[in-house]
Amino acid sequence: MSIVLVGGHDRMHSEYMGICSKRGHRVKVYTQMPAKFGKAIGTPDGIVLFTSTVSHQMIHVAVKEAKRKKIPVFRCHTSSGTSLEGLLLELEATASGVATGK
């Protein structure tokens, strides 16, 4: 499964990558807004937003692209590794069609 992670801390970049790869996911991590961010997102299976550590402009672009391409968005206020693991479980459940009850 491919994931785009938007936000988080620069120093956690490799930890985010490690958590996702352990679970068998390909991930692109954007802690800062690159040029042409909308095109850089591509067509992942899900977008994870860490809302406390991301600019409003990045959120706006990511959500706009998600709506346009019908990509599920998972939001979390904290940007810890544990939060990412929880969101990955939720994303995997959604992808498999199992309801999480949240």
Side-chain angles (χ1 to χ4, degrees), residues 40-101:
I41 290 175
T43 54
D45 296 314
I47 295 176
V48 173
L49 292 175
F50 286 145
T51 57
S52 67
T53 53
V54 66
S55 71
H56 291 283
Q57 182 64 30
M58 280 183 80
I59 290 174
H60 177 73
V61 172
V63 170
K64 181 180 168 185
E65 284 297 304
K67 283 182 182 176
R68 191 169 72 83
K69 297 175 182 174
K70 296 183 172 111
I71 301 168
V73 177
F74 299 87
R75 298 172 190 241
C76 185
H77 187 68
T78 60
S79 53
S80 67
T82 305
S83 297
L84 177 59
E85 289 174 355
L87 288 173
L88 289 176
L89 286 171
E90 194 175 325
L91 192 143
E92 290 163 1
T94 302
S96 67
V98 177
T100 59

Side-chain angles (χ1 to χ4, degrees), residues 4-74:
V4 171
L5 192 148
V6 179
H9 299 285
D10 290 331
R11 66 181 180 272
M12 296 277 291
H13 187 278
S14 60
E15 186 172 336
Y16 297 145
M17 300 279 287
I19 290 168
C20 290
S21 66
K22 257 191 229 178
R23 299 191 64 86
H25 304 299
R26 295 179 314 274
V27 65
K28 291 182 192 176
V29 179
Y30 296 103
T31 56
Q32 304 292 323
M33 184 142 168
K36 300 185 180 181
F37 178 52
K39 292 187 188 270
I41 290 175
T43 54
D45 296 314
I47 295 176
V48 173
L49 292 175
F50 286 145
T51 57
S52 67
T53 53
V54 66
S55 71
H56 291 283
Q57 182 64 30
M58 280 183 80
I59 290 174
H60 177 73
V61 172
V63 170
K64 181 180 168 185
E65 284 297 304
K67 283 182 182 176
R68 191 169 72 83
K69 297 175 182 174
K70 296 183 172 111
I71 301 168
V73 177
F74 299 87

